Amino acid sequence: MRSLIHRSARFLALMSALAGAIMMLTVSADVLRRTWTGRPIVGASELTVLLLVAVIFLGLGEAERTDTHVRMRLLTSRLPDRVAALLRTVALGMSLLILLWLVYATGVRAYRSYLSGEFLFGLARFPVWPARALIPVGFLGVALEVALRTIDALRCFLGLETVTDGLRGWRISERPDGPEQGGTA
Amino acid sequence: MSPDVVVVMVIALFLVFLALEMPVSWALATSGGIGLISLQGISVTQSSLAAIPYSTTAVFSLTVVPMFILMGSFALHGHIAEQLFNVAERTIGRISGGLGIATVVACAGFAAVTGSSLATAATVGRIAVGEMRQHGYQAHFAVGIVAAAGTLGAMIPPSVLLVIYGIITGEQIGALLIAGIIPGIISAGFYIVYIVVRGRHFIEPSKATEEKRPVGGPLPYRALFRAALLFAIVIGGIYSGVFTATESGALGALTAFVLMVVELRRDGFAVIRRRLGDALREAASITSMSFAILVGAGIFTAFLVSARVPTRFTAWALGLDAEPWVVLVMILLIMIPFGMALDPLSILVITMPLAYPVVTSLGFDGVWFGILVIKMIELGLITPPVGVNVYIVAGTVPGVTAEQGFRGVLPFGLVDLATVAVFFTFPALVLWLPGRAGLL
C-alpha cells in the first residue's frame, strides 16, 4: 500500500511536471505567434489556466513525500523522541482532517461544475470542470502521503519503530537541526 | 463567542500548529477553517473550502510564478551559477577580498536568472564557501557572505517573492520587477563595500596571497552571455512593454531550457534527459509547495475578512496619533520578529492583507513599499533561529555550524538595515526605473 501511494504521488508529480513544460510551450507559442502574425492562439490562455491548476495540485503529494512543504522543527527537534512523535501525530492528524475535507468540498464543487456545464468565456468556450476535477485529485494525493506519515509518527510514539516521517532513512537522531525544508524565497 | 475572542484563539491555534511541525500551508488552512466554522458555521465554511483552492490559483497572471521557478531550475541544471562564479573568481579574485566580492557578483548574476534566494545561496554556496576557506577566509565570514548575498535572489528580478507581493496586493507585477533592479544592485554594492572595508580582519594573510596566483585555462565567458540573454528576455521584454511578465517568464524558461541543452550537449542525451526530468520535477514540487501556502493563506484571509480584521486594523492604524512615516517604520520593523519565526512567503501572505491597505491609505507608494518589505523579509532569511539561507549554506560545508554562520552574517544584516534606510530616505532609487518604463 505504501509503495502504491508513493508511486501514485510520483506519477501525479510527473503529470504536474509535464503540465509545466506544456504550459511553457503554450505561452511561448502564443506570444511568438501574436508577435509575428498579430493573432493569438485561440484558447491558449484558457488552456494555460488548466495547466497551471494541474502543475499546482498534482505536485502536492510529491512535495509532501519529498518534504518540500515548509514546516518548523524548532520545538519538536528539541523534545524527547516520543513526545515529538506524539505532537507530530496530532499535527499530522489535524492536517489530514482538513485535507480530507478539502477533497470532499472541492470534489463536490467539481461535480457540480460538470453537471452545470460551467465554462470560461474567452476567445474559446472552455469547460471549467477539468481544472476543478484536478483539485480534489491533488488534495487526495497529499492526504494519502500525510496519512502514511501519521501512521509512522503514531508507530514511533508507540515505540514500534524509529522512523517518524515517512522518509526512508531519516531517523529522529539524524534529523537536521534546521527548522525548515524547501522554500521559494 | 465574540469575533475578537475567535481571532485571538485562531491566531494562537495557528502558532500551536506551526510549533507541532504542521506545514505552514495546512496550519493556515486548518486554523482559518476553524475560525470560519466559529463565525460562519459549517455550511459557509464548506463553500469557502470548495471555492478558494480554485479561485486563488486559476488565474492567468499567476502563470508567471511556475515559469520563473522553471527558468531558475533550468539555469541551475545548466551550470550557470558555477560558471559565473568561475569567471568572477578569476577576474576579480586576485584583489584583496576579491573572492568574497566575486561571490557577491556571482550571486547577483545568478539572481538575475532565478527568482529564489535559497537556490542562489545553495548553488553559489556549494562552490564559493569551500573556495574561500581554502584561501584563508574564516568559516563564519565565508558563510556570512554567501548567505547574505543569496538574498539578492529575492530582490533582483525575476523574483518570485515580488510577483507574489504583486498578486496579494494588486500592484503591477512588471513595475515591481523593474523596481527591484536598482535596489538589488545597490544591495550588492553595499555588501562589496563591507567586504572591502572589513574583509582583511577575517582573511588569513598567508593563505590570502594564494588568491593572487595566476590560474590557467579558458574562462567560461559564455555564462555571462547566457545570464545576460535570459535577463534581457525577461526584464527587457517587460521594460519595453513588448511582453507581459507571464509571457517573459515563459520565453525565459524556454530559452533557459535551450541554453541548458546546448551546455549539456557533450554529456549525451541520457544526461540531458535526466537533467530535464530533474528540473521539471523540482520546479513542479516548489510550485506546488508555494501555491499550497497561497491556498492556505486564502482560507486564513477569508476568516480574517469575515471577522473584519483588515478593516478594523486599518482604521486603528490610521487613527494612531503618529506621523505616517512612523507607522510605516513600525510596520517594517514588525517584519523582523516575523522573519525570526516564519519563511518569507508565509510572512508575505500573512502580513500584507493587513499592512498594505494601511500603508497605501497613508499615501505611500505600493511599489516602493513592496521593495522595502521584501528587503526586510529577506533579513529573516539570515536571522536566527529560522535563517534558512544560513542553514543551507552552512550545511554545504563540512565542519561549519549554523551558529558560526549566524555570527558571520550578523554584520551583513546590519548592512541590509542600512540599505533599507537608504531606500526609505530616497524613494526615487526604487521608483525611477519603473517610472522611466512607464509602468507607474
Side-chain angles (χ1 to χ4, degrees):
Chain A
M1 179 57 92
R2 180 179 295 271
S3 159
L4 183 66
I5 290 172
H6 286 335
R7 280 218 304 270
S8 305
R10 279 199 294 270
F11 173 74
L12 291 177
L14 179 65
M15 296 297 107
S16 164
L18 281 176
I22 297 169
M23 185 200 297
M24 175 185 77
L25 295 172
T26 306
V27 179
S28 300
D30 185 41
V31 68
L32 291 175
R33 182 183 151 115
R34 208 189 54 230
T35 306
W36 283 324
T37 69
R39 285 177 304 159
I41 297 173
V42 175
S45 304
E46 293 80 1
L47 175 65
T48 303
V49 171
L50 169 66
L51 291 167
L52 176 62
V53 173
V55 174
I56 294 166
F57 290 96
L58 298 186
L60 282 176
E62 180 71 354
E64 179 67 27
R65 191 185 73 80
T66 54
D67 210 24
T68 307
H69 288 293
V70 180
R71 36 167 56 100
M72 282 176 50
R73 296 198 160 105
L74 273 177
L75 176 68
T76 46
S77 65
R78 283 162 175 77
L79 292 173
D81 290 353
R82 290 186 71 172
V83 178
L86 175 63
L87 296 181
R88 209 170 280 128
T89 307
V90 172
L92 286 163
M94 294 292 289
S95 299
L96 188 56
L97 282 180
I98 192 78
L99 285 167
L100 290 174
W101 196 3
L102 281 165
V103 171
Y104 175 73
T106 55
V108 170
R109 186 72 187 79
Y111 183 60
R112 284 188 186 149
S113 171
Y114 172 73
L115 289 182
S116 66
E118 190 183 5
F119 280 90
L120 277 178
F121 288 98
L123 289 174
R125 209 160 167 258
F126 211 86
V128 173
W129 69 263
R132 288 201 185 277
L134 291 172
I135 297 175
V137 173
F139 277 133
L140 183 62
V142 69
L144 291 172
E145 288 290 337
V146 170
L148 284 184
R149 283 191 173 214
T150 312
I151 293 167
D152 288 344
L154 184 61
R155 284 174 61 84
C156 180
F157 169 65
L158 296 173
L160 298 173
E161 64 174 301
T162 52
V163 179
T164 59
D165 46 11
L167 290 180
R168 204 178 336 164
W170 273 43
R171 289 168 193 280
I172 291 172
S173 58
E174 295 168 357
R175 178 166 297 111
D177 197 31
E180 67 300 297
Q181 297 288 322
T184 52
Chain B
M1 209 182 297
S2 86
D4 289 343
V5 175
V6 174
V7 169
V8 172
M9 185 190 78
V10 166
I11 291 172
L13 266 179
F14 170 64
L15 296 174
V16 169
F17 289 151
L18 282 184
L20 296 187
E21 219 181 275
M22 190 187 278
V24 176
S25 43
W26 313 139
L28 283 165
T30 310
S31 50
I34 292 171
L36 277 173
I37 293 171
S38 310
L39 292 180
Q40 308 279 353
I42 286 187
S43 172
V44 173
T45 305
Q46 165 123 339
S47 301
S48 299
L49 292 184
I52 287 170
Y54 183 80
S55 63
T56 51
T57 55
V59 182
F60 180 74
S61 60
L62 293 182
T63 312
V64 66
V65 176
M67 291 301 98
F68 279 171
I69 293 173
L70 197 53
M71 181 171 109
S73 205
F74 285 140
L76 182 75
H77 286 277
H79 303 305
I80 287 185
E82 291 92 328
Q83 292 173 358
L84 281 174
F85 179 72
N86 201 349
V87 172
E89 177 195 9
R90 298 213 346 234
T91 46
I92 320 168
R94 299 174 191 198
I95 62 174
S96 174
L99 265 182
I101 299 169
T103 303
V104 174
V105 171
C107 282
F110 192 59
V113 297
T114 184
S116 159
S117 285
L118 288 186
T120 307
T123 313
V124 178
R126 213 171 292 142
I127 335 151
V129 176
E131 199 71 14
M132 283 190 279
R133 294 282 289 135
Q134 272 184 18
H135 291 91
Y137 283 62
Q138 291 175 14
H140 68 89
F141 188 51
V143 172
I145 290 172
V146 182
T151 63
L152 295 172
M155 182 59 73
I156 296 176
S159 159
V160 171
L161 273 188
L162 277 173
V163 170
I164 290 177
Y165 172 85
I167 290 163
I168 297 168
T169 61
E171 288 292 341
Q172 201 189 337
I173 291 169
L176 286 162
L177 293 173
I178 298 294
I181 297 175
I182 292 178
I185 294 170
I186 292 177
S187 299
F190 275 36
Y191 293 146
I192 289 173
V193 168
Y194 175 76
I195 293 167
V196 169
V197 173
R198 297 286 299 164
R200 62 180 183 278
H201 299 290
F202 308 115
I203 305 170
E204 291 173 41
S206 58
K207 290 186 182 173
T209 52
E210 290 175 29
E211 282 190 54
K212 297 182 174 63
R213 84 184 161 193
V215 188
L219 280 173
Y221 281 116
R222 62 186 182 283
L224 292 178
F225 165 75
R226 291 193 291 151
L229 178 66
L230 288 173
F231 191 75
I233 287 173
V234 175
I235 302 309
I238 297 172
Y239 188 87
S240 62
V242 175
F243 308 131
T244 64
T246 301
E247 292 164 350
S248 295
L251 286 175
L254 184 63
T255 310
F257 165 68
V258 173
L259 293 174
M260 183 189 82
V261 172
V262 171
E263 183 63 27
L264 299 174
R265 67 191 182 284
R266 290 192 196 90
D267 298 334
F269 179 69
V271 172
I272 292 174
R273 198 179 59 182
R274 197 175 63 239
R275 291 284 184 167
L276 172 64
D278 289 346
L280 285 172
R281 265 195 301 273
E282 286 164 18
S285 207
I286 292 171
T287 303
S288 293
M289 180 275 295
S290 308
F291 276 91
I293 292 177
L294 281 181
V295 170
I299 296 169
F300 195 80
T301 305
F303 155 69
L304 290 179
V305 169
S306 74
R308 299 184 59 246
V309 173
T311 324
R312 289 192 294 162
F313 179 77
T314 305
W316 172 78
L318 294 179
L320 285 175
D321 186 20
E323 291 289 323
W325 69 268
V326 175
V327 177
L328 178 57
V329 169
M330 281 164 54
I331 288 174
L332 291 173
L333 289 177
I334 286 171
M335 300 294 160
I336 296 178
F338 268 107
M340 290 175 171
L342 285 168
D343 70 289
L345 179 55
S346 307
I347 299 170
L348 211 52
V349 298
I350 292 168
T351 58
M352 281 311 105
L354 297 177
Y356 177 81
V358 173
V359 171
T360 47
S361 299
L362 288 170
F364 294 110
D365 186 274
V367 171
W368 174 65
F369 176 60
I371 298 297
L372 295 178
V373 162
I374 297 299
K375 195 73 193 153
M376 291 301 289
I377 286 179
E378 285 298 290
L379 256 179
L381 280 173
I382 54 173
T383 314
V386 190
V388 187
N389 272 21
V390 178
Y391 281 103
I392 291 225
V393 178
T396 61
V397 192
V400 176
T401 63
E403 284 72 18
Q404 284 176 312
F406 282 121
R407 194 182 127 215
V409 89
L410 179 67
F412 289 97
L414 298 176
V415 170
D416 274 338
L417 281 176
T419 318
V420 174
V422 169
F423 300 151
F424 187 89
T425 315
F426 304 104
L429 289 172
V430 175
L431 298 175
W432 176 74
L433 204 52
R436 288 270 301 171
L439 293 167
L440 290 179

